Amino acid sequence: LQTHETANKRDLDGVLLLRPTLPRSPVGAAMEFELSMASKRFEKEAAKRKQADRARLERQRRERELADRKKQELEAAAAAERAAAAEAAEKLRQKHDALLEKNKGVWYTQALVPQLTLSAEAKGIRRRADKISLPRSFGEALVPQHDASKHGPMFFELALGTRLTHATLLDFEAPEGVVGLPPKVMRCLGLAADSTSDAPAAADGVAAARAVAGGSQNDGAAVASGRLTVTYRTLRAGTYAKLQPVSAGFQRDVGDIKSALELELQTHATLSEGDTVIVRSLEDGSAHELRVVSLMPEPAVSVIDTDLEVDIAPSVEAEAAQAAELARKAREAELARQAETERARREAEEMAQRTALLEAAAAARAAAALALAPEPDEGDGVLTVMVKLPTGDRATRRFERKEPLEHVFHFVDTLDLGEAAALGSHTDGYRLPSQFPP
């Protein structure tokens, strides 16, 4: 039996066994190659599947983390909203308690839609500027709590966003869900009712008030402004008010300011800091807007049957002009400061440059003195050279006749030729302008 290759192996008894290896056929080799390629493809596909599984698991992990973060954010936002709501409720409760105590046990509030009303003007009521009309339900809730002998007149706080003013009661005849506001209250709340100026008193009060409302023919024209909060309040009698005209011509145009103010304030029952009051000249009827800057003893007061001390502050225009003048002076002072700083900087630079030039000239003189040969004694072959300096001074030195002329220049280089020369006003080097004898 012939074989291409043998494998020697001994069995347990030490007998040498010969195991023949048959040659592989071409078909077997092809099958083995295909099996090897298939095995490699399987391994590659398995590696791809494993990699895809890892990517899928990583994607799912990130999705879970994202979902957890969103859940935590939603829970935190909900907790913050609950905390804010609780805080707002606590503030409302505290405000309610404070108002209940201040109002001597009376409290009521309602959110109502504002409408322009001209009823007080039409009825010829003197303190018509801040008389409001409330719905019947408001009165049914408030009147049982209110004792006029104990609590006095009914006053109300009107809040719309950040704006706040106060008013007194006209009647409880407004439609449900509505509060009727006169032009002055509308203006103080910033409502768009064309009420930027109060109408002058006229025999036909309704016509005058309609003129304020922009010519409207319907008393009670609705104002698209949302709801405002009306809350019962008690107000103390005012003792002091500081008013500020908007126009710089107020004092010049109004003339009798005291009488004009008294006439206007007689149409009011309340004043609030931030309100605007329209005062008219008794001479020509020109209107001037005044802002309520400060009040005493509280930021909102009653002006019914009280002696009110009034101060008139400089006008808004005057303050603006004064502020502009102060700003102009500040700019001029700043420009002057900058100019002074620049001048000092230039002087410092010039001084530093001058010092550097003088030090360089002194160093050059010292170097020239070191390079100069010792001065010879008087005698034969020695001459004396006199140099007239730019300063007017003269300098002399002895030289041997055999020395080159360059030594004379070195000697001159050791001399102090004056500050002008050191600072560079003289040309470097030397020239021969004349000689003697010719």
Side-chain angles (χ1 to χ4, degrees):
L1 180 63
Q2 293 182 355
T3 62
H4 294 286
E5 182 179 351
T6 61
N8 297 330
K9 183 178 181 182
R10 295 182 181 275
D11 61 6
L12 297 177
D13 296 331
V15 178
L16 179 64
L17 299 178
L18 297 177
R19 181 176 299 166
T21 302
L22 297 176
R24 292 179 296 179
S25 66
V27 176
M31 291 180 62
E32 184 177 352
F33 176 75
E34 290 179 358
L35 289 173
S36 175
M37 294 300 294
S39 176
K40 290 181 180 179
R41 284 196 300 272
F42 177 78
E43 290 176 354
K44 291 177 66 176
E45 291 175 355
K48 288 182 179 180
R49 286 195 297 272
K50 188 175 182 180
Q51 185 177 3
D53 290 340
R54 285 198 299 268
R56 177 176 54 80
L57 293 175
E58 178 63 20
R59 185 173 62 255
Q60 292 176 350
R61 183 188 65 80
R62 290 197 299 267
E63 290 175 352
R64 286 195 300 271
E65 290 181 352
L66 180 60
D68 291 341
R69 284 199 301 271
K70 288 185 177 179
K71 181 180 178 181
Q72 292 174 359
E73 290 174 357
L74 291 174
E75 291 176 350
E81 289 180 359
R82 290 193 298 271
E87 183 179 0
E90 177 61 20
K91 288 182 178 179
L92 185 60
R93 186 192 64 79
Q94 293 177 359
K95 181 179 180 181
H96 172 269
D97 293 344
L99 285 176
L100 196 62
E101 180 179 359
K102 182 177 178 62
N103 295 343
K104 301 177 183 179
V106 181
W107 185 85
Y108 187 70
T109 186
Q110 200 173 47
L112 302 170
V113 175
Q115 282 188 349
L116 176 64
T117 181
L118 309 172
S119 298
E121 188 75 23
K123 293 177 181 179
I125 297 175
R126 187 182 65 171
R127 297 189 183 275
R128 60 188 175 273
D130 48 11
K131 291 279 189 181
I132 64 173
S133 182
L134 294 168
R136 184 177 300 275
S137 61
F138 202 108
E140 291 173 351
L142 181 60
V143 170
Q145 306 179 55
H146 187 268
D147 182 355
S149 62
K150 176 182 178 181
H151 301 105
M154 287 186 180
F155 297 110
F156 302 93
E157 175 187 279
L158 288 77
L160 184 63
T162 58
R163 290 182 178 264
L164 191 73
T165 190
H166 293 77
T168 188
L169 179 67
L170 174 63
D171 54 41
F172 291 110
E173 298 178 2
E176 284 301 320
V178 171
V179 55
L181 306 178
K184 180 261 181 182
V185 177
M186 298 278 283
R187 182 182 67 248
C188 292
L189 290 174
L191 296 176
D194 266 348
S195 56
T196 55
S197 63
D198 291 340
D204 186 356
V206 176
R210 284 175 178 166
V212 172
S216 172
Q217 297 301 312
N218 298 316
D219 184 12
V223 180
S225 56
R227 292 178 177 269
L228 63 85
T229 303
V230 182
T231 305
Y232 172 82
R233 285 287 305 274
T234 58
L235 296 180
R236 297 171 61 184
T239 58
Y240 172 81
K242 183 177 183 180
L243 307 180
Q244 182 181 35
V246 174
S247 171
F250 169 74
Q251 295 185 349
R252 178 189 67 246
D253 298 340
V254 172
D256 189 352
I257 295 176
K258 181 176 182 297
S259 298
L261 276 175
E262 289 178 349
L263 187 62
E264 174 59 27
L265 292 180
Q266 285 174 3
T267 67
H268 292 67
T270 68
L271 283 179
S272 306
E273 291 182 359
D275 280 358
T276 57
V277 176
I278 303 299
V279 176
R280 295 186 174 277
S281 171
L282 300 180
E283 298 175 357
D284 58 9
S286 59
H288 294 268
E289 180 179 337
L290 282 79
R291 298 175 181 176
V292 181
V293 177
S294 62
L295 295 167
M296 292 180 65
E298 293 179 345
V301 298
S302 166
V303 293
I304 300 175
D305 299 329
T306 182
D307 291 331
L308 188 68
E309 179 185 352
V310 178
D311 279 347
I312 303 299
S315 68
V316 175
E317 291 181 355
E319 285 188 348
Q322 183 180 8
E325 179 64 16
L326 291 175
R328 183 187 64 79
K329 291 182 178 180
R331 288 194 301 271
E332 291 179 352
E334 177 63 18
L335 291 176
R337 185 193 65 80
Q338 293 177 0
E340 178 63 21
T341 301
E342 179 64 18
R343 184 190 63 78
R345 184 191 63 79
R346 288 197 304 268
E347 288 183 353
E349 288 181 354
E350 293 172 357
M351 180 61 68
Q353 184 179 9
R354 176 176 176 276
T355 301
L357 290 175
L358 293 176
E359 290 177 351
R365 291 195 301 271
L370 292 175
L372 191 63
E375 183 178 7
D377 297 331
E378 293 181 358
D380 295 338
V382 175
L383 58 83
T384 299
V385 175
M386 183 184 70
V387 179
K388 184 178 180 181
L389 306 180
T391 59
D393 297 332
R394 288 176 170 78
T396 59
R397 191 182 190 280
R398 292 184 298 276
F399 293 90
E400 294 183 2
R401 291 181 179 273
K402 62 181 181 179
E403 290 186 58
L405 183 61
E406 181 181 8
H407 288 187
V408 178
F409 296 151
H410 289 168
F411 166 63
V412 175
D413 289 339
T414 65
L415 302 176
D416 184 0
L417 303 181
E419 185 174 305
L423 296 180
S425 60
H426 288 276
T427 304
D428 293 339
Y430 302 94
R431 62 185 179 87
L432 183 64
S434 63
Q435 62 180 4
F436 185 82

